Amino acid sequence: MEVTTIKGHFVNEIEQELSNVLLNKFNPDLAIVFCSVSQNINGLCKLFKKNDIELIGATTAGEIYNHTVLEKAIVALLIKLDRSSYEIASFVNKDKDLRALGEKASQNANERFTDPTIIVFSGGVRADGEELVRGLTNNLSSENKIYGALAGDDLNLAGTYVFTSQTTIDNGIVCLYLDGSKIQAEGLATSGWESIGTEKLITKSRGNVVFSIDHKPALDVFMDYFNKPKERLVNSDMVVNELAQYPLQVKREENYSVLRAPLIADTDKGALIFSGTVEEGSKIKFSVPPGFETIESSTQEILGLKDNFPKAEAVLVFSCKARHQALGPLVEEELEGIQNIWEVPLIGFFSYGEIGNLDGYVCDFHNETISFVALKEL
């Protein structure tokens, strides 16, 4: 596997960067592209298709290039790789059933490769990432690896997109299947949020909509707990910009927790809409944002992977936009810590939900988390 990265703030800048790469006799087969929803996605797709480069990508809430954070830009990882080692697939969510779509995608991966790794991106603002992961894992063994994220749209919460050279989808998924016998992938999801207060109970929910906590309207509980004036909810940005920094820690039966961040408030019903399922009957705690010590802890946790994966050729990173907002400038220190582990090209984006495995556990869907995957050719 040979790799290089390019970036730009306009499609014509990417075109020039790609031209320079090709002039240097590097002819990539595959491009992984992350870009702001404000970019000309169709123009990007045509550019890579014209140069016979297969493409998979997602829109973002901020882009990551090595350890630098960009805004409203385009970043791309260009890979020279035997085309028999991977396949790109896309699925439109016509029936509004992400679990079924995930099952279809994982079945498709199994038909293509004996030991597939799946890198998946999902479009759709109200997409329930947990349902997607449940579907993906249904047809795979616990040894199979799944990484990815929900696309973003610069916190507009109007429409997120995923795309390939052939299509752009606002409600569905795109997948990069990797042949596990030819491409090694290792990754991890880590958060660092600390829980606060006593354990509470989700007393009414449906999918990713939570109506009540401890038999009280979920929105009221949230606003009261963090002393947020309810009249400020007239500002539609308030939930995603402020409340999302205080995610729920949802306890799993396996004795670990996943984070769920609120995205949208339904003031008429007193409900909160999350980007992943919060099942009725779940035990939860609230969280407070991490600080510098958490950055060091997450970096050390990721560093532990290097013993079994000493050499990588590229790294993809998916970090929650709310995590970015909470950490501020510290997020670049976290990214730099990851890049320094393998010192290889790295791109990524800030997302509305992350897919990956916590240390020692199987794949799950997360918010407020940083998930990454390191790749190398065998």
Side-chain angles (χ1 to χ4, degrees), residues 248-316:
L248 303 183
Q249 294 197 9
V250 183
K251 190 174 181 180
R252 296 295 202 209
E253 291 181 359
E254 295 84 355
N255 203 31
Y256 69 92
S257 296
V258 295
L259 300 182
R260 291 288 176 265
L263 287 179
I264 301 169
D266 186 333
T267 53
D268 292 336
K269 297 179 180 178
L272 284 167
I273 300 170
F274 294 77
S275 62
T277 295
V278 183
E279 291 187 346
E280 193 167 294
S282 294
K283 295 178 180 178
I284 62 105
K285 283 189 174 183
F286 288 122
S287 304
V288 291
F292 180 80
E293 68 284 351
T294 305
I295 301 301
E296 185 175 351
S297 174
S298 65
T299 303
Q300 288 300 313
E301 188 174 359
I302 295 169
L303 184 60
L305 283 182
K306 194 172 183 181
D307 292 339
N308 296 323
F309 198 78
K311 182 174 174 59
E313 292 168 317
V315 174
L316 298 173

Side-chain angles (χ1 to χ4, degrees), residues 77-263:
L77 180 72
L78 306 179
I79 307 172
K80 187 171 181 59
L81 182 64
D82 188 321
R83 296 197 180 195
S84 67
S85 301
Y86 69 89
E87 185 170 295
I88 292 172
S90 60
F91 304 88
V92 177
N93 192 14
K94 294 180 181 178
D95 299 323
K96 298 183 179 180
D97 187 344
L98 263 182
R99 184 184 298 201
L101 209 66
E103 289 177 351
K104 186 176 180 181
S106 58
Q107 181 179 353
N108 188 239
N110 278 330
E111 291 170 355
R112 184 65 181 87
F113 299 118
T114 303
D115 180 26
T117 291
I118 301 178
I119 297 174
V120 57
F121 307 118
S122 174
V125 170
R126 292 174 180 260
D128 187 338
E130 183 167 326
E131 286 296 287
L132 173 60
V133 170
R134 286 177 176 177
L136 286 166
T137 56
N138 193 44
N139 290 323
L140 299 173
S141 74
S142 60
E143 301 301 316
N144 290 122
K145 297 165 182 175
I146 309 171
Y147 309 97
L150 303 189
D153 69 343
D154 299 324
L155 287 184
N156 295 318
L157 299 180
T160 67
Y161 301 86
V162 292
F163 49 89
T164 69
S165 305
Q166 311 301 324
T167 186
T168 299
I169 301 170
D170 66 350
N171 185 18
I173 62 174
V174 294
C175 300
L176 175 63
Y177 305 143
L178 299 174
D179 184 347
S181 69
K182 297 178 180 178
I183 307 294
Q184 185 178 358
E186 294 292 343
L188 190 67
T190 181
S191 66
W193 255 243
E194 296 291 334
S195 64
I196 57 171
T198 58
E199 193 171 80
K200 300 181 182 299
L201 185 69
I202 300 298
T203 44
K204 184 179 180 182
S205 69
R206 184 175 65 248
N208 61 340
V209 183
V210 175
F211 296 97
S212 66
I213 300 173
D214 286 345
H215 301 286
K216 299 175 183 176
L219 184 57
D220 290 351
V221 173
F222 227 101
M223 299 293 282
D224 292 344
Y225 197 91
F226 294 104
N227 196 28
K228 302 288 185 180
K230 294 185 180 66
E231 55 268 21
R232 290 185 57 202
L233 283 168
V234 295
N235 178 0
S236 60
D237 294 336
M238 193 255 186
V239 175
V240 73
N241 285 330
E242 294 185 38
L243 295 189
Q245 296 184 40
Y246 303 94
L248 303 183
Q249 294 197 9
V250 183
K251 190 174 181 180
R252 296 295 202 209
E253 291 181 359
E254 295 84 355
N255 203 31
Y256 69 92
S257 296
V258 295
L259 300 182
R260 291 288 176 265
L263 287 179

